[in-house]
Amino acid sequence: GVIFDFDGVIVDSEKHWGTIENPYLRKYIPDWADEEYNALLGKSLSDVHDVLVSTRGFRLSKQQYFDDYELMAQKLYRDIAKPINDIHALLNALDRKGVKCAIASSSKRSWIDLALLTHGLNTRFDVIVSAHDPEIRSGKPAPDVYLSAIKSIGYSEDNLIAIEDSTSGVTAAKAAQLFCLGFCSNDSVNQDLSIAYATIN
């Protein structure tokens, strides 16, 4: 089986999140620099809020941040993000070989479902796990989403591959004892994928 990260691996949302979220954050953190966004990649929405509060004095409540983010996400996943090049072909090839496919993502399940439905990918995954699911205690870089996906897909770690494009994601997959491939994307810059077993473009 193959367990995919979602943002930056299935859809090209990473590059669009930066162009949407950086201006938003500058409204509340005037000296916010675009380069700081890289440290947020791969983390759950709750964890991002915690980082912003603790390191940058972000003053919005978690609920207000979530509400604002929901509006941004609906537009991004419905109208802006597109499938990563060749993802349809890859999923077709895996399907022909009987390989089960899963998603383990920091994004909310509703956003994943919206993007998959928009781009005709909603029937391609046997398992979808979100860091916002009730049973998930910690988002990436903790291994929780991967451990849940492993349990649901029904294969041992030795029979699964994870594909990740962020430092947090690779760390989570490795912590779950998965063979992890780092996906080097122009949209996920300055991510340390060195602990992956190999990298792909």
Side-chain angles (χ1 to χ4, degrees), residues 2-173:
V2 180
I3 307 177
F4 295 85
D5 176 42
F6 185 65
D7 295 282
V9 174
I10 301 297
V11 294
D12 65 357
S13 45
E14 294 289 21
K15 66 180 180 183
H16 301 298
W17 267 127
T19 62
I20 292 172
E21 194 167 8
N22 280 320
Y24 168 81
L25 289 172
R26 266 191 291 276
K27 290 194 303 182
Y28 302 99
I29 308 171
D31 63 342
W32 178 263
D34 288 357
E35 295 76 22
E36 295 182 79
Y37 179 73
N38 295 323
L40 308 181
L41 292 177
K43 292 181 171 61
S44 72
L45 194 56
S46 180
D47 289 343
V48 168
H49 182 269
D50 291 344
V51 168
L52 293 173
V53 169
S54 63
T55 65
R56 299 299 268 110
F58 191 58
R59 292 174 179 258
L60 280 190
S61 69
K62 187 166 284 191
Q63 188 57 56
Q64 183 59 59
Y65 179 60
F66 284 6
D67 290 346
D68 290 348
Y69 216 85
E70 183 67 32
L71 293 175
M72 293 187 286
Q74 288 290 323
K75 179 174 179 58
L76 188 152
Y77 289 108
R78 183 185 62 244
D79 302 328
I80 300 174
K82 304 297 181 189
I84 292 291
N85 288 341
D86 297 324
I87 190 64
H88 282 281
L90 174 58
L91 291 171
N92 287 338
L94 293 173
D95 183 60
R96 287 194 297 270
K97 292 182 178 296
V99 177
K100 285 189 176 182
C101 294
I103 289 173
S105 174
S106 295
S107 286
K108 290 175 65 175
R109 177 62 185 263
S110 59
W111 305 347
I112 298 169
D113 289 344
L114 175 60
L116 294 178
L117 182 62
T118 298
H119 299 294
L121 293 166
N122 52 306
T123 63
R124 308 308 302 268
F125 297 93
D126 300 280
V127 172
I128 298 175
V129 178
S130 162
H132 298 266
D133 290 344
E135 69 273 16
I136 303 300
R137 297 184 62 184
S138 300
K140 301 172 186 178
D144 299 33
V145 289
Y146 277 106
L147 294 174
S148 179
I150 291 167
K151 182 178 179 180
S152 296
I153 205 168
Y155 294 146
S156 69
E157 297 89 338
D158 292 342
N159 292 304
L160 294 167
I161 292 173
I163 301 179
E164 275 284 356
D165 70 328
S166 71
T167 305
S168 292
V170 171
T171 303

